[in-house]
Amino acid sequence: MIVTRVPTTPIAGMKPGTSGLRKKVAEFARPHYVENFVQSVFDAVRPPAGFAGLALVVGGDGRFHNREAIQTVIRMAAANGFARVIVGAGGILSTPAASCVIRAHQAFGGLILSASHNPGGPDGDFGIKFNAANGGPAPERITDAIYARTLAITEYLTLDTPDLDLDTPGTRSLGTLAVEVVDPVADYLALMQRLFDFDALRALFASGFRLRFDAMHAVTGPYAHAIFERELGAPAGTVISGTPLPDFGGHHPDPNLVHAKALYDEMMGADAPDLGAASDGDGDRNLIIGRGIFVSPSDSLAMLAANARCAPAYAQGLAGVARSMPTSAAVDRVAQTLGIPCYETPTGWKFFGNLLDAGRITLCGEESAGTGSDHVREKDGVWAVLLWLSILAARRQSVREIAAEHWATYGRHYYTRHDYEAVETEAAQGLMEHLLERLPRMPGESIAGRRIVLADDFEYSDPVDASVSRHQGLRIGFADGSRIVYRLSGTGTSGATLRVYIEQFEPDPARHGLDPQAALAPLITLARDIAGIPAWTGREAPDVIT
Ligand code: VG1
Ligand code: CO
């Protein structure tokens, strides 16, 4: 094996965001771009004894540029001395499946090629992220080291070899590297069979229960066809848009009420299925809609926590739960009733890793349609649907009935997120800096009849390793328990995206049936006025409301 050492120079802007490095495809396709980043990852994580004897997992969500990037990664893994690469056939691995494969094969780590819910195709986005041996996204300490390396890199190691066949399962060699092409679904399916009672779920479908799962032409198609239709006996057609396409069929694979509008309309229509669900580009998100009722992700997390015992994996109860800071406090109330701890972390799955590894939490989630458990170290869309199905099978009630009972028991956290996308970067930063500067004077003030009791820039101290993460979002809390949070997205690729999270608690069951936008209208206006959103951004209304 002749290793080629290619001289290179640093490329600016390779700082990993909320979930890895994400850029336009055109940027990733530039000479040396993928190579510089991948070599920086290898340099930052290389053990003292090198990669000899170690395995690397590689896979992606099938988007445009996936195949080219995987060939590059495999050559570089060989040149950098890995013993094995485990790659999903066709270059496919959903993010939760990649996490599962890393753990199942005791790999050193993995490279996941995805820009998740961002659009794909030649003009869309691409991304790469490194996950460690626990299967989870690298913590900040490692992403900081990777970034530092991208600024100092002078060469990368590769081979001058033709592309490998990655479509046929089996093992082939590349120099001293063994390349194992595996079925992307097999390990993941085996894990799901251990967590859930597949017989009970088969009986649910046999009784006529109807699921509609929209895979959005993204990575979950093969998983959903295999699990819901082949294993659990749901009729063909249960899974729609089930073939992964490089451009996601021209759609935006973000399972929200804008981009999964057709599913929403079906679920609100006459003769709607019992459960509607969708997942995103890389399969880690989940959208849950019952017949005639959208379940907000924050509520879904709370309802899953309250009912997790319906699945064998969680029959013994939960050690604890966690949610990202902007996620509503609905799950906090469940934790309080269950008498278990509830942790509040910054946005991004990497912050759950330590809590999961330490056994402090079993379930966790984010308002952005991410829910997961200690079965892997990523959020997991298909898993969330299986847990919902388990609850529906055990309780023999509709989603609407379960939600109504949940709110009657715990109260309802009305919640919404307003996104202002592709805002001019300076304008968005100006808005945030101006607000930050005013925060210290806010507590004690009253605005529009609401007294502010908390105003800060969220900072997280990890209870396991004591690492501190600062500047994780601006919070304004009111005396009545309502709350507004402002953050700038760390996953976008054009300009800045301002996210405004709005939450209000309603204990009175007589007021639980309102439309969230109506229930929250005064607070939504307040959120706009406090930050001066139209003046800073020139926008009168958000681009996406969830
Ligand atoms: C968004 C979500 C965050 C999620 C992240 C990655 O980040 O808000 O909750 O963890 O995407 O999800 P941001 O920085 O844009 O708000 V995924 O499915 O894109 O990997
Ligand atoms: Co995703």
Side-chain angles (χ1 to χ4, degrees):
M1 184 172 81
I2 302 163
V3 172
T4 318
R5 307 183 87 94
V6 182
T8 189
T9 49
I11 299 173
M14 290 193 171
K15 191 170 174 54
T18 312
S19 181
L21 180 66
R22 290 190 195 172
K23 298 283 177 195
K24 293 275 171 225
V25 165
E27 182 131 22
F28 267 103
R30 283 170 55 190
H32 306 313
Y33 199 93
V34 170
E35 291 86 345
N36 269 24
F37 188 72
V38 170
Q39 188 65 50
S40 299
V41 171
F42 290 161
D43 291 349
V45 302
R46 181 185 288 104
F51 297 118
L54 300 177
L56 182 74
V57 171
V58 187
D61 61 13
R63 69 178 58 220
F64 192 85
H65 206 58
N66 194 43
R67 285 174 172 272
E68 293 83 347
I70 289 183
Q71 296 285 353
T72 302
V73 168
I74 292 176
R75 286 188 192 99
M76 291 182 66
N80 278 273
F82 275 97
R84 293 157 63 210
V85 157
I86 303 167
V87 54
I92 292 288
L93 275 179
S94 78
T95 290
S99 184
C100 163
V101 172
I102 293 171
R103 295 164 69 82
H105 295 259
Q106 279 109 44
F108 171 77
L111 284 169
I112 302 178
L113 311 182
S114 168
S116 191
H117 61 287
N118 298 19
D123 301 321
D125 292 348
F126 194 73
I128 303 186
K129 84 175 173 176
F130 176 73
N131 281 33
N134 70 347
E140 278 190 331
R141 156 179 64 78
I142 297 181
T143 55
D144 287 348
I146 294 169
Y147 179 53
R149 190 64 204 152
T150 66
L151 299 175
I153 188 166
T154 57
E155 64 170 14
Y156 60 83
L157 274 48
T158 188
L159 306 181
D160 188 10
T161 50
D163 282 356
L164 287 177
D165 167 15
L166 299 181
D167 290 302
T168 327
T171 301
R172 39 210 67 112
S173 42
L174 185 64
T176 54
L177 179 76
V179 180
E180 297 170 26
V181 180
V182 300
D183 172 359
V185 179
D187 286 312
Y188 182 81
L189 170 61
L191 177 58
M192 294 303 121
Q193 284 169 327
R194 291 199 295 279
L195 299 178
F196 298 105
D197 181 349
F198 271 40
D199 286 336
L201 299 181
R202 268 182 214 112
L204 178 71
F205 284 112
S207 73
F209 182 94
R210 288 194 300 141
L211 166 72
R212 178 80 67 236
F213 183 93
D214 185 352
M216 303 189 92
H217 287 303
V219 80
T220 41
Y223 299 85
H225 279 303
I227 294 174
F228 302 128
E229 294 177 352
R230 285 202 287 282
E231 289 293 325
L232 299 179
T238 294
V239 177
I240 54 172
S241 302
T243 307
L245 297 175
D247 67 347
F248 307 117
H251 298 293
H252 195 146
D254 191 345
N256 61 27
L257 299 182
V258 173
H259 299 300
K261 176 89 171 42
L263 176 71
Y264 178 80
D265 290 344
E266 183 183 9
M267 294 308 298
M268 296 302 137
D271 196 34
D274 298 285
L275 180 67
S279 192
D280 68 332
D282 62 333
D284 54 0
R285 296 188 180 204
N286 69 91
L287 173 72
I288 296 292
I289 312 177
R291 188 187 302 118
I293 180 173
F294 162 63
V295 183
S296 80
S298 292
D299 272 348
S300 177
L301 172 63
M303 292 171 196
L304 292 179
N307 296 285
R309 282 172 183 267
C310 295
Y314 313 106
Q316 305 308 315
L318 309 174
V321 292
R323 61 165 171 86
S324 67
M325 181 274 281
T327 303
S328 97
V331 73
D332 302 36
R333 292 180 188 272
V334 175
Q336 200 172 21
T337 300
L338 293 175
I340 57 174
C342 177
Y343 299 87
E344 185 178 37
T345 58
T347 295
W349 212 259
K350 56 180 177 270
F351 295 103
F352 294 131
N354 278 348
L355 297 169
L356 291 163
D357 285 350
R360 291 193 187 217
I361 60 169
T362 312
L363 227 65
C364 47
E366 297 190 275
E367 52 65 41
S368 54
T371 344
S373 88
D374 57 0
H375 68 288
V376 288
R377 294 294 180 270
E378 289 279 5
K379 54 189 188 268
D380 189 343
V382 169
W383 167 89
V385 177
L386 287 168
L387 186 49
W388 262 105
L389 289 172
S390 304
I391 292 166
L392 294 166
R395 291 189 51 166
R396 301 185 177 282
Q397 287 172 298
S398 67
V399 174
R400 182 184 277 288
E401 287 162 340
I402 290 174
E405 279 187 23
H406 186 94
W407 293 330
T409 307
Y410 299 98
R412 178 169 183 184
H413 285 257
Y414 278 108
Y415 187 87
T416 188
R417 186 179 95 186
H418 287 202
D419 294 332
Y420 298 80
E421 295 180 338
V423 173
E424 207 196 308
T425 307
E426 284 89 77
Q429 279 167 355
L431 178 153
M432 292 295 282
E433 280 159 23
H434 184 67
L435 191 57
L436 176 65
E437 193 267 315
R438 285 157 54 212
L439 286 183
R441 297 191 295 279
M442 285 189 179
E445 272 180 27
S446 282
I447 310 183
R450 291 170 196 260
R451 196 163 56 81
I452 299 178
V453 293
L454 169 106
D456 71 356
D457 184 0
F458 180 59
E459 182 175 306
Y460 178 63
S461 297
D462 186 302
V464 178
D465 68 11
S467 60
V468 176
S469 303
R470 300 196 166 84
H471 309 305
Q472 298 297 327
L474 307 183
R475 319 189 272 188
I476 299 177
F478 301 91
D480 63 359
S482 53
R483 187 175 78 140
I484 303 169
V485 174
Y486 303 86
R487 275 184 70 244
L488 295 186
S489 157
T491 59
T493 58
S494 16
T497 293
L498 170 68
R499 302 202 195 285
V500 185
Y501 311 81
I502 296 153
E503 173 179 2
Q504 180 166 300
F505 180 61
E506 177 55 70
D508 180 3
R511 295 183 47 83
H512 284 168
L514 304 177
D515 168 49
Q517 299 307 312
L520 294 167
L523 206 54
I524 290 170
T525 306
L526 196 57
R528 193 195 59 194
D529 293 348
I530 289 178
I533 294 174
W536 280 102
T537 65
R539 306 283 177 84
E540 286 301 326
D543 300 279
V544 179
I545 294 179
T546 36

